[in-house]
Amino acid sequence: MQNQDRDRTVAARRTGLTASPDPAFDRFASMVRNVLKVPVALVSLVEADRQVFPGALGLADPWQQQRQTPLSHSFCRHVVDSAQPLVIEDARTDPRVTGNLAITDLNVVGYAGMPLTDETGRVLGSLCAIDTVPRQWTAAELALLADLAAACSDSLQLRITTTSARQHQDRADAQAARSRLLLRASTALAATSTADDVVDAVRQLVTGTLDPAYVGVSVLDRSGRVNLRSGLQLPSRVAERWNRYTRGAATPSALATRTGVPVLLPDMAAVHALTPDAAETFLEMGWQSGASVPLPGPDGPVGALTFVWKQQYRLDDAEQTVLAALAGYVAQALQRADYLFSRENAAAVLQKAMLSDLPDAPPFELAARYEPAARGDHVGGDWYDAVQLEPRHLALVIGDVTGHDMRAAAQMGRLRSKLRLLLVDRNESPSGLLRRLDTATRVLGDPITATATLALLSPEPGGADGYRLHWSNAGHPSPVVASGGAASTLTGHDPLLGAGPRISRHSHTRHLPPGATLLFYTDGLLEVRSHTLEEFDARQRDLHDRLAGADGVPLDDLLERLYEEFAGDDHEDDVALLAVRLPPGPGGA
């Protein structure tokens, strides 16, 4: 064991890395932290009596500055000793690391470490993702971490090669170029979220080196047919021809996918011999050569990455190696893109299911709109609701649960359901209903922090014209009333829901004349993080002006105008809008 430790220490020193920051390995730590969404990421190398961090992001001082710890604080040594990944959900209860001082001193709770190896396969350290709370690591996260660790190992091996083998400078230069390309590929492809993003990233990566005329990405669907995912780079007639076809076709992509080995087409003679089904397209597009490498998957190729050139081109061994490695990154990126697409679709379905259909509530005109944030899970905690309690009596709700993710959406669903039950079961003031809602969430052990406005609309007593509005506002943006060419705010705010027990809440009353329009909205409509308070106030005034001039505009059209003008397609937060218009005429009839 001592000999093994000594050999490993010597090998680690051959990298030339020590307890000081290295830009290349800090980039690996940055990629791990950004892609896996963890607070801490490390490139850790184990020496005889310490571990050093040439790559580190997120450590608290003094550890971030010192870039080292004694082995008493090392989870990485378990990766080194076992030569296997170490995955821990909660270090405080895991017998493998119980008592390790990193738990208390570095706040290491969730941990995933992948081995980093030298050119002989000896494990020198690990690429680590660290969470400060318990973490259930998904298979996709661990696969991505392993992929990044492989690229990081390449860079470690490059350091060893260039440090200890100067006489092989030409080979080291080639390895450096390969490592730089793969490092750029890791960074670029980690930032992609769609198949089109992947294709664009690959094109940019090989510009200036391979310089292909076209980069193609094709994947197998569940029926085993080849689907073109890079059709936007082709004329529509060509893209339609190869949009979806049988795996048995004699094309570069189908052949690489079917055989699992690279297909090299250095000239048109090879195209006609190996992939005759593609020859017509080659001639039509003016292509003279090509190459297609399989995209690796857990059970065999999942597609192919294809390059074509307008001149004869023969890939050398080093270029073939680069393309094979690049295909691995592309396969990972496509799998992540498909996962994100599925997640966004599921989120959209969930959000649609949670938002209530507006009731048919004559004589009122009702309209609502919900738009998720332009980035993120496409689901959040904003909601609206309208409940007809009895003829000409309407409850209106707008709210926003803290957070913007699936958890916020689930909390929103629970909060909305509880409030609906209270609305139909209790004939109380808006403030009383919100107080009961707050109490119910606390007593049931379901703490939820949210803003909300609850308003009850009913005819004025005694047959007077118009309607009476009762409302209570729990920290939500103030609704706006528009009537007769003017707009005003429904003032009066109480603390948000979940702020604490025994909160004092108040109800407010206002007369609404016939034909008045009432708008409820969430903060995503007006708030922009980069705006000053003065700019926000100006947007509020603009909103009042638009509503004041909206008499007679159908509510659906009005909400469309407001959304397009104030939020648009790149808004930072969810936007929920709810509008009601009173009937015109005497008595509100």
Side-chain angles (χ1 to χ4, degrees), residues 458-470:
S458 60
E460 285 284 10
D465 287 346
Y467 283 76
R468 177 169 297 182
L469 183 71
H470 287 76

Side-chain angles (χ1 to χ4, degrees), residues 4-16 44-46 80 83 114-126 149-150 152-161 164 175:
Q4 291 179 355
D5 290 344
R6 183 174 60 252
D7 291 344
R8 184 180 66 245
T9 299
V10 171
R13 288 175 178 170
R14 288 170 58 212
T15 66
S44 174
L45 301 179
V46 174
V80 172
M114 296 293 169
L116 299 176
T117 60
D118 66 9
E119 71 277 12
T120 68
R122 181 187 291 111
V123 179
L124 305 181
S126 67
C152 191
S153 294
D154 282 348
S155 292
L156 283 175
Q157 294 160 23
L158 174 61
R159 293 300 178 91
I160 294 171
T161 300
S164 63
Q175 178 73 3

